[in-house]
Amino acid sequence: MKTIFRPAPIIRHVELDVAHLDEHTRSRRGLFTEWIVTNGLGGYLSGTVGGLNTRRYHGWLIAALPAPHGRTMMLNDLRERLIVGGQSYALDCDDLVHKDTSDPVSPYLSEFRLENGLPVWVFRCEGNVIEKRTCMVHLQNTVYITYTLLEGEGGRLEVQPAMHVRSHDGSLAGPPHEQYRWTGVDDGFELHVGDDLPVLKLVWNCEHCSFQMKTERLDKLRYRIEQARGYDWEGSLWSPGSFSGELRPGKSASLTASTEDWEKVRSLSPGAAFATELERKRRLLRTAPPEAREGFPAELVFAADQFLITPMGRTSDQVRAHAVGDEIRTVIAGYHWFTDWGRDTMISLEGLTLSTGRYREAEYILRSFGNYIHNGLIPNLFPEGKTSGLYHTADATLWFFHAIDRYLQATNDWETLEFLLPKMVDVAEWHLRGTDFGIHIDQNDGLLVQGQDGYQLTWMDAKVGDWVVTPRRGKAVELNALWYNALRLLVEWLEALEDTRADRARYQQLATQCRDSFNRRFWNGEKGCLFDVVDTFEGGDDAQIRPNQLIAISLKYPVLDKSRWQPVVERCMRELLTPVGLRSLARGEKDYKARYDGDLLARDAAYHQGTVWGWLIGPFVNAWIKTFPEQAEKAQAFLHGFDQHLYEDGVGTISEIFDAEEPFTPRGCMAQAWSVAEVLRCEVMLRQMRSEKDSQKELESTIGGR
């Protein structure tokens, strides 16, 4: 009999019951622990586990719309009440300006959990146990929210939608409700908000359902995280009225919200929508390698899925891809506010796609970005609501070489390499003769130089107004490690395809020159590690201890001489390693910042000046394994902090950054692609190494027994 893959539910539980937690812990979890559900287009719904909207990005339907709109807040909030015996019980909570909300979590909320990546809330109220669930339809801007009575006699459930249709990162000032038009249709309702935006469609399903029309403006709403971050934080919403219906034992009530056409909205019942999404998630685990099908890695498989999207509105790109039988794919760098970034995509590709068995999507991403190359560069990012990219990056294109190599190692897809190779040769030639933003190769030593006033071209890219916080102009350590790796890969690929259109010997000679110059120029004998930048535009060399030097070891072709690996890794371990990634600057350096907090100026001043980055654990683990192969298993301990982190900030996912000192408070995006990707990649790699080692021991034992 054949075995059918039926994974056990993957559950991440967040305790909220007032009987088991002190008020402070419960309040903090409810306020600052977030969740997110995505739709494969860049759209999402998201909020806090306690139900309070603390960010401008929190809402029940943020639709991914074509340019010029981009991601658009369509349904902001839901006020939920259970009416029992004439008494009203609030399942939601409000946060009003000038009102002391001592416990911003409904007293009836006892549990929150992620079940196979989808949020579940449990409310206990007057002997009733109500379960609330939500999901999105993949590749649609459609959300389903259901309420099911698990225990008790029930009562009448009222759900009041509230809206301010705007860009998801737009002003909170207040909805232009005089432009809103609310109408009833055959089996639902429509909100018209303007000629150039889609109609929001709402469907309410339950026993004895009704809608009470009562327009209302909800003013003086406070968004706490926006307030703490120095942005506008007071807003208003508009409500057309309330849905209501009887909630009885074993029965459900459901609300559907969508910007799709009515045919799509009606094509799936709420039950069918949840069933299809759970089946899709089962397939994600089935596709993943065995090492990622349960436990912590399985949670990261679901988290990784949230970043892989089909971008909306890039019509010409889609036409070109479809013409040859391809699709376009890209990677959202982080939720809530990032779009797709070239650098983040290439660093994340292995973990998001290859470590999850999604090889075809990796191919689509590589081919898509191959078509975006301009003057030897891939885009740094695509701005929200735009169809063309910005190219101000010196490293994204060099990470592209790395991503192609990892893809080839996993797939042996030489046809894709054949498509990309002429483009990558052209990239190298642009760098050799000089391309945009001052990116070029110094002919005297073969090292890569970058820098232009007003631009931040490396991954340490914080900028406030005209202030580039860490310009790193000159010859940056990781850029030259990436350039050397790219040259060696070109030689390898040209040889593998027996391609004679480019001079392999010339690239090999350039690689040798780069390597010799690198080891001569970047070694800092005084500190026993590498300079971060040499020949800076300001003059001299930058001796600050940063994690970028690990890239000189971690890549397939390490540019740093092997005799110097150990002191570099040990110095980074001692100065930079934390339980949730690496500090971006060592303690004791003059610009070191222990906390990433305050307004935009204060935060960006700390962004790469000590703040811990989760993704850097990947290069560190690679460098550790290469340097100490006999202690490879020890690398598993470097990942333990991330498992615990999945309970905080973004449940089931990994944050962008953390404070540089204990307790390493999560900051920035609550879900970041390269953080998830690199932790997942390392988890799968280390588990596979352990499995191979166990198999080898078993084989040796069997042979020895004979």
Side-chain angles (χ1 to χ4, degrees), residues 276-347:
T276 54
E277 179 60 12
L278 289 175
E279 172 60 18
R280 194 183 71 84
K281 289 182 178 294
R282 184 185 73 85
R283 293 183 182 186
L284 291 178
L285 293 183
R286 185 180 65 190
T287 301
E291 294 81 7
R293 292 180 181 173
E294 59 183 25
F296 176 51
E299 291 181 83
L300 294 183
V301 169
F302 293 149
D305 175 62
Q306 296 178 329
F307 303 103
L308 295 170
I309 72 160
T310 300
M312 290 290 291
R314 296 179 194 166
T315 304
S316 61
D317 298 336
Q318 290 175 335
V319 169
R320 180 169 50 201
H322 291 170
V324 295
D326 284 347
E327 298 287 344
I328 61 169
R329 292 288 188 276
T330 190
V331 171
I332 288 287
Y335 292 100
H336 304 89
W337 48 85
F338 284 132
T339 57
D340 45 336
W341 288 58
R343 173 191 304 115
D344 301 58
T345 296
M346 297 309 152
I347 292 174

Side-chain angles (χ1 to χ4, degrees), residues 318-427:
Q318 290 175 335
V319 169
R320 180 169 50 201
H322 291 170
V324 295
D326 284 347
E327 298 287 344
I328 61 169
R329 292 288 188 276
T330 190
V331 171
I332 288 287
Y335 292 100
H336 304 89
W337 48 85
F338 284 132
T339 57
D340 45 336
W341 288 58
R343 173 191 304 115
D344 301 58
T345 296
M346 297 309 152
I347 292 174
S348 300
L349 183 130
E350 184 175 6
L352 298 184
T353 61
L354 306 181
S355 296
T356 59
R358 300 172 72 165
Y359 305 123
R360 195 64 188 273
E361 286 167 283
E363 177 192 351
Y364 290 154
I365 290 170
L366 294 173
R367 287 177 176 265
S368 295
F369 274 87
N371 288 323
Y372 295 145
I373 294 173
H374 174 71
N375 289 354
L377 301 174
I378 65 170
N380 187 33
L381 77 152
F382 287 85
E384 190 77 56
K386 304 293 184 181
T387 58
S388 58
L390 302 178
Y391 285 80
H392 52 299
T393 172
D395 59 342
T397 315
L398 301 178
W399 281 111
F400 194 11
F401 284 87
H402 170 76
I404 294 170
D405 169 65
R406 305 319 301 149
Y407 174 72
L408 291 174
Q409 292 296 312
T411 65
N412 290 317
D413 179 4
W414 301 109
E415 289 186 5
T416 292
L417 177 61
E418 190 172 36
F419 167 76
L420 291 171
L421 185 54
K423 300 174 183 290
M424 306 315 289
V425 169
D426 190 54
V427 165

Side-chain angles (χ1 to χ4, degrees), residues 680-694:
L680 176 56
R681 179 186 66 81
C682 290
E683 277 284 345
V684 171
M685 175 181 67
L686 291 170
R687 290 171 186 241
Q688 288 175 339
M689 289 174 62
R690 187 163 63 246
S691 178
E692 291 169 3
K693 186 175 181 180
D694 290 344

Side-chain angles (χ1 to χ4, degrees), residues 635-652:
Q636 189 73 53
F638 303 142
L639 304 174
H640 288 169
F642 292 102
D643 191 350
Q644 181 62 35
H645 170 62
L646 262 62
Y647 287 105
E648 59 184 11
D649 208 34
V651 183

